[in-house]
Amino acid sequence: DDLLARLLTDVKVVILPRVGSAVGQGECYAHVIQEDSIVPVISPLSGSVQQVNPRLKEEPGLLTDDPRGAGWLITIKPENLEKDLKNLLFGRRALSWYKREEKVMIARIDWLMKHNPSAVGPTMQDGGVRIGCLQDVLGIITAGQRAQLLDFVIARSQNHRRSVTGPSG
């Protein structure tokens, strides 16, 4: 999605599953390799992989340059769509979740910037611009800070999934 695409920087390789392979909802089905980290990509649905984006092999940057177009990853034929949809957020619940996560990420970025003042960049006193939302913040932080934020978001997501599914889940 757009948020993940904004957090990723300098994508070197995208490792996708094979056509016909099975993926499970909430499980890792792909990896994005950046300069200093490997990012797991989690499946929103269970099913079988119908297509993979062949362009990403030669042009991995499409993932961040055009996430809603040429940067697509895979298509999945759902195994049990009705069941999987019950585990996803829609409408107001999705917006509420996003707003909560946005506040957490902005707070984390604030913490990262306070612990590395030289990376803060321009401030209002020296001609900078007012930051109003997460997208504005992502536009000014460094690649290293984005990587740290991405690690933080992935760890939060994994901890949340463990608390929902239990230790074996």
Side-chain angles (χ1 to χ4, degrees):
D1 62 17
D2 289 342
L3 180 58
L4 178 61
R6 290 176 139 280
L7 288 173
L8 294 171
T9 58
D10 199 20
V11 175
K12 301 292 184 197
V13 176
V14 180
I15 300 172
L16 298 172
R18 293 178 191 250
V19 171
S21 62
V23 296
Q25 184 179 45
E27 295 176 2
C28 176
Y29 72 87
H31 290 89
V32 177
I33 300 175
Q34 302 183 107
E35 183 75 28
D36 296 326
S37 63
I38 299 174
V39 179
V41 182
I42 307 303
S43 179
L45 304 172
S46 295
S48 62
V49 176
Q50 299 297 294
Q51 293 179 304
V52 298
N53 186 345
R55 289 184 63 188
L56 292 177
K57 186 172 186 169
E58 298 298 323
E59 302 174 79
L62 288 173
L63 189 62
T64 56
D65 296 342
D66 191 11
R68 291 178 174 235
W72 63 276
L73 295 171
I74 68 173
T75 60
I76 300 172
K77 180 178 181 181
E79 184 177 281
N80 189 341
L81 184 59
E82 188 174 321
K83 177 185 172 213
D84 286 348
L85 289 176
K86 290 178 183 178
N87 297 320
L88 299 176
L89 299 176
F90 296 94
R92 282 185 250 171
R93 288 182 58 208
L95 185 58
S96 176
W97 172 85
Y98 180 83
K99 286 180 179 181
R100 277 193 316 273
E101 289 301 303
E102 182 178 45
K103 286 179 185 177
V104 169
M105 285 188 259
I106 289 173
R108 183 62 177 192
I109 292 168
D110 184 54
W111 182 88
L112 288 170
M113 293 176 118
K114 284 180 181 173
H115 287 81
N116 186 4
S118 64
V120 171
T123 61
M124 289 299 286
Q125 290 80 1
D126 61 9
V129 295
R130 181 175 170 85
I131 302 299
C133 67
L134 181 59
Q135 289 186 350
D136 293 342
V137 174
L138 292 175
I140 65 165
I141 63 175
T142 66
Q145 289 168 327
R146 283 185 191 186
Q148 290 175 3
L149 179 62
L150 188 55
D151 288 343
F152 172 75
V153 169
I154 290 169
R156 273 179 52 83
S157 173
Q158 290 170 340
N159 289 337
H160 174 74
R161 217 173 14 259
R162 270 189 232 112
S163 70
V164 170
T165 61
S168 63

